[in-house]
Amino acid sequence: MTGPQPSSTSEQAEIVRICQDHGNDPHRMLDILRAIQDRFRCISRATMKTVAAETELTEIAVEGVASFYAFLSLEPKGRITIRLCDDIVDRFAGLPKVTEAFETALGIKVGETSADGAFSLEYTPCIGMCDQAPAAMINDVMLTELTPEKVRKITETLMSGRRPEDLISHRFDDLTPYERAHRMVENNIRHAGAVLLGHVPDDAGLKTSLDLQPSQIIDMVEASGLRGCGGAGFTSGRKWRFASEAEGEHRVIICNADEGEPGTFKDRVLLTERPHLMIEGMTIAARAVGASEGIIYLRGEYVYLRELIEEVLADRRARGLLGKDILGARGFDFDIRLQLGAGAYICGEEGALISSCEGLPGEPKTRPPFPVTRGYLGLPTVVNNVETFCHAARILDRGAKWFFDMGTEGSHGTKLFSVSGDCLNPGIYELPYGLSVRELLEMAGGEDAAAVLVGGPSGTMIARDTFDRKLTFDDLATGGAIVVFSGERNILEIVEYYMSFFVHESCGYCTPCRVGNVFLQKAVGKFRKGLANPADIEYLRDLSSTIIETSRCGLGMTSPNPILSTLENFPLVYSAMVKPSEDRIRATFDIQSAIADARQLAKRRSYILDKDFGE
Ligand SMILES: Cc1cc2nc3c(=O)[nH]c(=O)nc-3n(C[C@H](O)[C@H](O)[C@H](O)COP(=O)(O)O)c2cc1C
Ligand code: SF4
């Protein structure tokens, strides 16, 4: 297939212009390559050469970025790229029939591009729409609750030459960014709590912060008991204090809007409904730690929210809420840029996220140093989740005690839960910490559940007999994903899917994660086929603990969780599938010798110490 590869002089000139629009800055490499991908549908070798010359990097460095991200392609893509969400929730909600309908209508299989270069069809991991699955991205447009009938209409429209935007509304161009986002995606707010989704006055927290000393702001956030909502639950006030005390004149605030954990979509709703509150929280953090620069890292899958957030940023600049001397406070200068990702789950890990913001492949960084002392471009950096910033703004408005008094002893305030899967009312529930899984299931119409995945695949899968466990940091910690599975679902199919997700998303830096997860996935496949030996259960445990112990970042340290938690809570699922045989899985690969070198390379630090610094 031939695509519009930039071979002519005018096309090369256009690439030079794209680089110049980004100041020929190598740290803007992801933006540069995204712009080229959008324009030419691929990053060709000639392009990489031009980009390398313009940004004064080597071609290898440019290729390293271009080849890392799933949404960038070295091969030409179709003018319209259809990315079907391949999450297990989508599969159970009818993805196979939706896929078949696309393949039949377009005359291509998943993974192919049509001969005329009009369409590419591919699968992509969770795109944050589990409450309205099956879903797909068509270029920058999000489509949800797909059925074969809808697919027939979609493909007819697109094949008649209309734009993906026309699928949303024939007057798409006249809609505001907020209206566009709403037309594409439902919010499904099922329960609004007192902190985030109820009434929120405009910038009340920011105004309070202007009357306080930076250290008083940090004291207040610390006294509230606020813990990070991205999953690890590190105390936010402490993180801000570390950054404020770090050496250096410039500091950076990064909002982690990467939201890639399968089953999580609460940040999507905050980004749509509470973007001002999130930016208010970032601005308060900037005042607290003395930062002048902010970045919102928005996952590539949420590109449909880009113009909405850009509009909010522009509005706040115009009203003196961002920029120089914010709200008249002399010397309080802070502004924010939006960094769009390009399809890589690992970029949610804060080191990888910082690498990505720096224009590098999204690989985790070796720790220490931690971002609070040496983060973005070597500057002290606070990375917090979208929800954490929103909470911080509310705490400054309503006070530490108000927040502290909600929830439980070790988990204060409210939490957004993204509930999806086999329940009647999938969506967002803002609830105080401390509810049991059973209580949440009753609210969501998921009483018939046989299994619930709390915290996404890197979390815990629990069985019906433990639904009284509590949603708190002290019991079942979660960044917010709650995926409900009925008794009709095959647990091993679910586990095998999640292992394939980790295999796909491993950045490949360390052998235990890169290789070990492939072996775990294969081993689960053997259990599913009834080809495993009783001793292979021990093999799964051994290999899992080796991967956890020797991986460099949180992805590898949690990737065996789907296996470990189901071995623990659904042991019969495994034991029912084994039979005595000589053909043991273990014999096929010796992970210990394969990772001997990796152990040396990774120089793994103690996990306990990492936890102390926010992971
Ligand atoms: C593989 C991996 C993916 C992650 N993805 C996200 C994410 O999408 N969003 C997020 O806020 N934190 C994510 N985290 C956690 C971040 O590394 C970091 O702890 C968090 O952004 C800190 O913010 P918080 O303290 O407000 O939670 C991820 C961690 C790992 C190991
Ligand atoms: S544990 Fe996995 S994702 Fe993390 S650095 Fe190693 S290979 Fe990359």
Side-chain angles (χ1 to χ4, degrees), residues 61-322:
V62 176
E63 186 175 355
V65 181
S67 58
F68 185 86
Y69 296 92
F71 289 1
L72 302 178
S73 170
L74 307 190
E75 298 299 321
K77 291 272 174 192
R79 283 185 292 282
I80 294 179
T81 298
I82 299 168
R83 297 193 169 98
L84 302 174
C85 179
D86 183 30
D87 190 74
I88 193 81
V89 172
D90 294 67
R91 291 185 189 187
F92 290 157
L95 176 66
K97 287 212 154 46
V98 165
T99 303
E100 201 182 304
F102 270 114
E103 289 181 334
T104 306
L106 300 176
I108 51 174
K109 294 278 174 206
V110 170
E112 292 179 352
T113 296
S114 59
D116 61 357
F119 293 98
S120 289
L121 183 64
E122 52 193 52
Y123 281 137
T124 193
C126 184
I127 58 175
M129 302 290 149
C130 289
D131 54 333
Q132 43 212 296
M137 293 175 73
I138 303 192
N139 287 356
D140 291 355
V141 167
M142 192 66 87
L143 292 177
T144 65
E145 294 187 332
L146 294 172
T147 59
E149 188 46 43
K150 278 191 189 175
V151 170
R152 274 186 282 280
K153 287 190 185 137
I154 290 166
T155 47
E156 259 173 45
T157 307
L158 296 176
M159 288 166 98
S160 73
R162 311 272 295 280
R163 305 171 305 164
E165 287 76 6
D166 298 327
L167 296 165
I168 303 306
S169 165
H170 62 276
R171 38 179 290 273
F172 186 86
D173 295 337
D174 301 330
L175 301 176
T176 64
Y178 183 74
E179 287 168 338
R180 291 176 186 176
H182 259 256
R183 292 276 178 110
M184 290 188 225
V185 177
E186 288 288 332
N187 276 329
N188 286 328
I189 297 174
R190 305 286 184 180
H191 190 273
V195 183
L196 301 177
L197 297 175
H199 172 67
V200 173
D202 292 345
D203 295 299
L206 178 60
K207 286 173 192 151
T208 305
S209 77
L210 296 181
D211 296 331
L212 300 174
Q213 292 300 317
S215 62
Q216 291 175 305
I217 299 173
I218 295 175
D219 289 344
M220 202 161 158
V221 173
E222 199 161 359
S224 73
L226 175 63
R227 294 173 67 167
C229 302
F234 190 73
T235 310
S236 308
R238 267 183 81 200
K239 187 183 279 189
W240 292 15
R241 195 178 304 284
F242 285 138
S244 74
E245 289 168 353
E247 275 182 34
E249 275 184 29
H250 297 287
R251 293 179 174 73
V252 182
I253 304 294
I254 300 185
C255 177
N256 189 340
D258 198 51
E259 186 152 75
E261 190 75 26
T264 314
F265 47 87
K266 51 140 189 129
D267 293 342
R268 177 198 90 204
V269 173
L270 289 174
L271 288 159
T272 315
E273 294 302 324
R274 294 287 180 267
H276 281 280
L277 188 68
M278 172 187 81
I279 297 167
E280 183 190 347
M282 291 178 72
T283 314
I284 292 167
R287 182 157 175 79
V289 309
S292 54
E293 187 175 354
I295 301 172
I296 298 169
Y297 189 92
L298 183 70
R299 69 182 307 213
E301 290 80 349
Y302 290 173
V303 62
Y304 77 100
L305 293 172
R306 172 171 49 184
E307 55 176 1
L308 167 61
I309 295 167
E310 293 282 18
E311 186 187 57
V312 170
L313 289 172
D315 171 64
R316 293 182 74 82
R317 277 182 207 114
R319 292 193 291 127
L321 294 159
L322 283 176

Side-chain angles (χ1 to χ4, degrees), residues 346 363-364 505-511 513-514 517 550-557:
I346 188 59
E363 281 164 2
E505 297 301 324
S506 164
C507 84
Y509 179 89
C510 17
T511 313
C513 173
R514 189 184 64 245
N517 283 318
T550 52
S551 285
R552 182 190 190 209
C553 87
L555 188 149
M557 291 174 203

Side-chain angles (χ1 to χ4, degrees), residues 502-551:
F502 286 123
V503 166
H504 186 261
E505 297 301 324
S506 164
C507 84
Y509 179 89
C510 17
T511 313
C513 173
R514 189 184 64 245
V515 180
N517 283 318
V518 174
F519 278 86
L520 283 182
Q521 184 197 343
K522 284 187 174 168
V524 176
K526 287 198 172 176
F527 274 90
R528 273 189 79 189
K529 290 186 198 128
L531 298 175
N533 182 292
D536 290 324
I537 290 180
E538 182 202 328
Y539 167 77
L540 287 178
R541 286 211 175 88
D542 285 355
L543 181 50
S544 294
S545 48
T546 304
I547 295 171
I548 291 170
E549 199 190 306
T550 52
S551 285

Side-chain angles (χ1 to χ4, degrees), residues 31-50:
D31 293 331
I32 292 172
L33 295 181
R34 276 203 67 113
I36 293 170
Q37 177 77 42
D38 284 351
R39 172 66 186 85
F40 296 105
R41 293 150 34 208
C42 87
I43 320 280
S44 70
R45 195 134 298 280
T47 303
M48 289 191 255
K49 204 174 162 103
T50 310

